Amino acid sequence: MYRAARYFVFLIILAGAVFWWITAPKRVSETDIAGLTGDAVRGETVFWAGGCAACHSAPGAEGDARLVLSGGRGFASDFGTFHAPNISPDPTHGIGGWQAVDLVNAMRHGTAPDGSHYYPAFPYTSYARADLQDMVDLWAFLQTLPASDLPDTAHEVGFPFSIRRLLGGWKFLFSGPDQVVTADLPPEAARGRALVEGLGHCGECHSPRNALGGIDYARWLGGAPNPAGRGTIPNITPGKLTWSEPDLVEYFTSGFTPDYDSAGGEMAEVVQNLAKLPVEDRRAIAAYLKAVPAVE
Amino acid sequence: MKAITKFTLALTLAAGVGSAAYANEAAIKARQGQMELYAHYLGLLGGMAKGAVPYDADKAGAAAASLASLTKLDSSRLWPEGSDDMSAEGTRALPAIWDNPDDVMKKAMALGEAAAGMEMAAGQSLESLQGAMGPLGGACGACHKAYRAPDS
């Protein structure tokens, strides 16, 4: 009896240790990025490819106001409403006190400077696939943007999702592969893969998710319900997407659909970002979308 | 006597409401027709921009001129009060249009400028036509993003 109890206690401690180990925040070290120098000009392209302004600018911001990353937009989901934080260079309310390594940790591991886990509403599941050089360049660009002293709004997330440590388990289960489409692709489509699966984070909205919010990689880009409620987000695999590559490039450039309606909803915001990329990148995204496995 | 007055009044009011609704329905149809016309001329310009249709300076210039004229229609006839998606059927126009006349006017002016830019560009060269598509799409999208209800 005594032995059994001791064994039981041992098992609990072991389970606790495994939990603690699995849910521990991951980080890169200073030495991992020691050789990298950020280039703010390249960083601007990373910024538009990553669509940072779409979530982190003020609600309704247009034109140059989209470069003020004061945060404040709300994002409804099955788990609660998340509010984009201030990531402008303000030292108190923004990320002015950060170092490059802090941004790298946020994007690659979803880990905050204090070691807590970010919610995956911040699409680090995708951003993790970007190059360290891209992140360091982005850091250089972010520092050139105007500061805002708008305080952050707390997320409205219920128990048990409010326990941030559990997000370590979420990351363990749902981080996803380094590459979603593993086939050999021609150079243009391969560049598109890096953009779509990484910085562009297209799969975050265009792929269905399981009950715990993990992306269903078997139905990658196969469409999903709109987490904000109304309508659905379309399947953009060859199973449903009938637009030609030039149609797609035009859509990413001007927002015009093949029947000359204009992009709506969140996608209008995405087009504003894509339009700022070199046309070669927009062509690359179109080429990749034609190469992904069809989801019916 | 009193009953007759009441009845007449009710009839007049109903006819008034009815005719306003009829006028709004006509305006909704008319402005959707305007949008169709935009799409029709854009179809040629966009087809050339994408390389689906061979570039022809004269045809491009004519399409762009038609497009620019469409931005000059008197919009007060097309957007009467009460023709928003909360008050009328068959439209995705949000009531916010009538709450923000200054912003709507600013966006309409921006569309006029973008269409004028296309009118200048379309007949010059394929490259200049392609360059004018982005601002035009941006101007269309800016209004749709702010003032049009999502599809379905």
Side-chain angles (χ1 to χ4, degrees):
Chain A
M1 184 64 208
Y2 177 67
R3 276 178 70 128
R6 225 169 39 165
Y7 185 63
F8 188 64
V9 168
F10 170 75
L11 273 184
I12 288 178
I13 292 171
L14 185 69
V18 168
F19 171 83
W20 206 247
W21 177 73
I22 283 178
T23 61
K26 294 190 174 54
R27 291 171 189 268
V28 299
S29 74
E30 286 281 0
T31 50
D32 291 326
I33 59 163
L36 305 177
T37 314
D39 174 344
V41 174
R42 281 201 70 251
E44 180 172 4
T45 307
V46 175
F47 176 79
W48 296 120
C52 315
C55 292
H56 288 283
S57 63
E62 287 178 49
D64 284 347
R66 298 177 78 239
L67 293 172
V68 185
L69 305 179
S70 61
R73 294 187 193 224
F75 300 89
S77 78
D78 292 346
F79 310 100
T81 299
F82 300 97
H83 296 277
N86 183 335
I87 58 162
S88 78
D90 186 89
T92 313
H93 299 289
I95 60 171
W98 284 24
Q99 303 297 320
V101 71
D102 295 318
L103 182 69
V104 171
N105 277 318
M107 292 177 75
R108 175 129 302 180
H109 295 300
T111 303
D114 67 2
S116 61
H117 295 295
Y118 288 121
Y119 286 103
F122 170 46
Y124 51 78
T125 318
S126 298
Y127 287 164
R129 301 186 181 108
D131 294 334
L132 292 181
Q133 181 66 56
D134 285 345
M135 298 178 191
V136 173
D137 289 340
L138 176 60
W139 174 246
F141 176 70
L142 289 179
Q143 284 174 303
T144 68
L145 298 179
S148 155
D149 58 4
L150 187 75
D152 287 346
T153 307
H155 300 314
E156 297 153 59
V157 181
F159 184 83
F161 305 112
S162 51
I163 305 173
R164 292 225 181 197
R165 185 85 195 187
L166 292 176
L167 288 164
W170 189 94
K171 290 177 185 177
F172 177 77
L173 293 171
F174 304 128
S175 279
D178 288 345
Q179 271 187 351
V180 184
V181 176
T182 50
D184 266 338
L185 297 177
E188 189 176 56
R191 168 69 183 151
R193 167 167 57 199
L195 284 164
V196 171
E197 297 183 0
L199 288 169
H201 66 280
C202 312
E204 301 280 339
C205 290
H206 283 282
S207 300
R209 290 173 183 270
N210 62 28
L212 287 173
I215 289 177
D216 177 1
Y217 288 99
R219 296 182 58 80
W220 176 244
L221 303 180
N226 184 352
R230 200 166 167 172
T232 56
I233 295 166
N235 178 340
I236 52 170
T237 71
K240 280 281 184 289
L241 184 65
T242 54
W243 299 2
S244 70
E245 288 184 43
D247 286 345
L248 288 166
V249 175
E250 185 62 44
Y251 183 67
F252 299 150
T253 309
S254 63
F256 284 126
T257 65
D259 45 7
Y260 294 91
D261 193 350
S262 54
E266 303 298 317
M267 200 57 204
E269 202 86 39
V270 175
V271 166
Q272 283 185 293
N273 301 328
L274 293 178
K276 295 203 161 64
L277 297 180
V279 67
E280 292 76 19
D281 281 349
R282 293 193 290 271
R283 289 195 189 120
I285 293 170
Y288 169 80
L289 291 179
K290 291 292 175 183
V292 298
V295 174
E296 296 304 325
Chain B
M1 180 62 202
K2 219 174 175 185
I4 294 173
T5 319
K6 252 189 193 167
F7 178 73
T8 318
L9 189 69
L11 204 68
T12 318
L13 276 176
V17 169
S19 69
Y22 181 78
N24 286 353
E25 201 178 301
I28 290 168
K29 273 193 191 147
R31 71 193 184 212
Q32 287 171 351
Q34 181 195 22
M35 299 294 171
E36 293 276 337
L37 283 168
Y38 278 130
H40 187 61
Y41 289 109
L42 280 165
L44 183 67
L45 297 168
M48 289 180 187
K50 283 186 243 187
V53 178
Y55 177 68
D56 177 320
D58 292 341
K59 285 183 184 163
S66 303
L67 196 74
S69 334
L70 283 169
T71 64
K72 294 171 190 149
L73 304 185
D74 169 18
S75 49
S76 65
R77 284 284 292 158
L78 295 171
W79 303 90
E81 291 257 8
S83 66
D84 58 87
D85 74 334
M86 302 296 276
S87 326
E89 291 293 314
T91 177
R92 288 156 66 194
L94 295 175
I97 293 171
W98 290 269
D99 299 336
N100 302 286
D102 293 347
D103 185 56
V104 172
M105 189 51 73
K106 204 177 88 190
K107 289 182 163 62
M109 301 281 279
L111 174 64
E113 281 168 29
M118 177 57 91
E119 194 176 7
M120 296 271 287
Q124 280 177 18
S125 70
L126 178 58
E127 289 70 33
S128 58
L129 183 158
Q130 284 167 331
M133 286 299 286
L136 202 51
C140 295
C143 208
H144 288 157
K145 194 172 84 170
Y147 297 117
R148 182 171 66 168
D151 204 355
S152 80

